[in-house]
Amino acid sequence: QMPLVESGGGSVLAGGSLRLSCTYSKYTHSSPYMAWFRQGLGNAREGVAAIAMSDGSPFYAASVGGRATIARDSAKNTMYLQMNNVKPEDAAMYYCASGYRGGHLLNAEAYTSWGQGTQVTVSP
């Protein structure tokens, strides 16, 4: 039973870009959708983007506007989140989610499997 593993977090300059990765197992994390969530200090867990694993169709939260891109590389069993023009409010713990069980794609309650998170900080 392989866990979901996020990577790519760290410190990014405001206005810069980040690229997060989530490694999954196609056998233990079979799911029609996967998603990225984030949780800032004192905030609820917030959906950032979701992706249909079949064809890569993306779904984005309004909060990230056009700055985020979600993708998956099936050959590498990896899901990515690219975010450009990073803002201070993007600082958060970012989580990879799988195990979709129904519901809104950007609702945390829709997912049953979570990674440990990767921390993103934003510096001036």
Side-chain angles (χ1 to χ4, degrees), residues 15-30:
S17 299
L18 63 84
R19 183 174 176 85
L20 307 180
S21 300
C22 171
T23 300
Y24 61 90
S25 169
K26 68 174 68 176
Y27 304 106
T28 60
H29 300 113
S30 179

Side-chain angles (χ1 to χ4, degrees), residues 31-119:
S31 178
Y33 300 96
M34 291 184 66
W36 286 100
F37 287 76
R38 65 187 182 187
Q39 187 165 16
L41 185 63
N43 296 326
R45 191 163 295 189
E46 172 191 34
V48 178
I51 188 166
M53 300 303 288
S54 59
D55 62 3
S57 297
F59 306 86
Y60 297 105
S63 60
V64 297
R67 299 181 295 118
T69 301
I70 189 170
R72 90 275 187 266
D73 186 334
S74 297
K76 295 182 178 180
N77 294 327
T78 303
M79 181 179 66
Y80 303 96
L81 180 69
Q82 173 80 34
M83 188 175 294
N84 301 320
N85 191 23
V86 171
K87 303 178 182 298
E89 52 263 40
D90 294 321
M93 184 75 78
Y94 282 73
Y95 298 93
C96 175
S98 187
Y100 179 76
R101 62 179 178 182
H104 196 281
L105 296 178
L106 297 178
N107 186 340
E109 301 291 339
Y111 301 90
T112 61
S113 183
W114 297 84
Q116 83 289 345
T118 184
Q119 183 70 49

